[in-house]
Amino acid sequence: MDFTYRTFAIAAAVTLAAGSVAAQDAYAPSKITAFVAAGAGGGTDNFARTVQPMLEERLGTNVTIVNLPAASGAIAHQRTATAAPDGQSIEFASSTLITSRAAGQNPIGLDMLTPVARMQSDVLMLVVNPEKYESFEAFLAAAEANPGTLIIGGTHAASVDRMAFLGLNEAAGLDLSFIPYDNEGAASANLLSGNIDGMFNEISAIQGYMESGEMIPVLALADARLEAYPDIPTTMENGWDLTFGNERGIFINAKTPPETIGAIEAVFEDIFNSEPYQAYAARTFLDVRPGWLGSEEYRAELEKNLAFFEDLLADN
């Protein structure tokens, strides 16, 4: 590395660090209430509880987590949207925020909640029991030969996995059926017992089943084969423009001043880039594709997906 480039790199690093410190100084809440639009123990809750001590350390304050899973997280969205716009109430939420909005089950839209940052973009997979189907080709052949017979399981009618089911049906011209279950565990149990033919789930949620060989992913909703899973075909290579996944991020009352939102975004970007967070992401397979999006980019992604889900539901 030559002297000029090295000097520039050091200066850039110092500027970035100084910006992070300045942002944290600008955002100094006396306390934070973090609403989680999901129940305890799931992916969104684990995300929030992993970030909690990192946030407390950087801001020198207490962060209280409140799980509000009722009504597909709509209660959490409402509490966040009506909280004082002072940066002391934030929300951890997943793509259910917009799938439930598209389905008419969530009255809180992006006019009332502002995205602060996206930190996870979990890849959705079509998962099957290998005793029933050894590959996506086998699953697809059975679906085409037996229209209306194959069943996909999922968590609820407004879930991101149901959107994946509807998207695959439409894009591939299939006639699959869908059964909603109260929770992911029930769907998994029915897949293992052979009562259903497949389910859409996230990479991070099926590692144990993959390692035991009880379930195998046969199709990834992705634009290119994943480096970590090069043998799994993708929707895009089949000509189907279905690449959304289960995204998780942070939201806040839309009336919060822009400078406060920017300061909070900077704190979470610092957390995202830290070694402890990246180690957690690697350990839970949440680094398979890039997760970080800032506030404006995340809003654009949410608006695009919301329009897609609304169109998908209108056709079904």
Side-chain angles (χ1 to χ4, degrees), residues 243-262:
T243 59
F244 61 88
N246 193 11
E247 302 180 343
R248 300 185 187 93
I250 299 90
F251 296 81
I252 200 165
N253 185 329
K255 295 179 181 178
T256 305
E259 59 271 20
T260 302
I261 294 172

Side-chain angles (χ1 to χ4, degrees), residues 47 61 91 96 103 144 255 305:
F47 165 43
T61 192
E91 178 183 346
T96 301
E144 292 174 338
K255 295 179 181 178
N305 286 339

Side-chain angles (χ1 to χ4, degrees), residues 41-44 46 94 96 121-129 139 151-156 159-166 168 178-179 181-192 196-210 214-222 226 229 232-233 235 242-248 284-286 288-289:
T44 304
N46 289 337
S94 71
T96 301
S121 180
D122 212 344
V123 181
L124 282 175
M125 298 278 200
L126 173 62
V127 185
V128 300
N129 185 329
F139 175 89
I151 300 171
I152 300 294
T155 47
H156 55 81
S159 61
V160 68
D161 37 317
R162 180 167 181 258
M163 299 303 161
F165 151 78
L166 291 174
L168 182 62
F178 185 84
I179 294 181
Y181 293 95
D182 290 338
N183 54 65
E184 184 180 295
S188 296
N190 278 275
L191 180 62
L192 293 173
I196 59 176
D197 297 277
M199 63 184 288
F200 282 98
N201 212 330
E202 307 147 18
I203 288 179
S204 62
I206 59 174
Q207 289 302 312
Y209 292 115
M210 289 173 61
E214 295 174 283
M215 294 183 189
I216 57 170
V218 294
L219 181 71
L221 271 67
L226 304 170
Y229 303 92
I232 301 176
T235 45
L242 299 170
T243 59
F244 61 88
N246 193 11
E247 302 180 343
R248 300 185 187 93
T284 52
F285 299 89
L286 289 165
V288 173
R289 63 181 173 193

Side-chain angles (χ1 to χ4, degrees), residues 53-75:
M54 303 179 191
L55 194 57
E56 290 178 330
E57 178 186 4
R58 282 163 175 77
L59 298 176
T61 192
N62 292 325
V63 177
T64 301
I65 290 179
V66 180
N67 292 88
L68 295 171
S72 299
I75 305 300

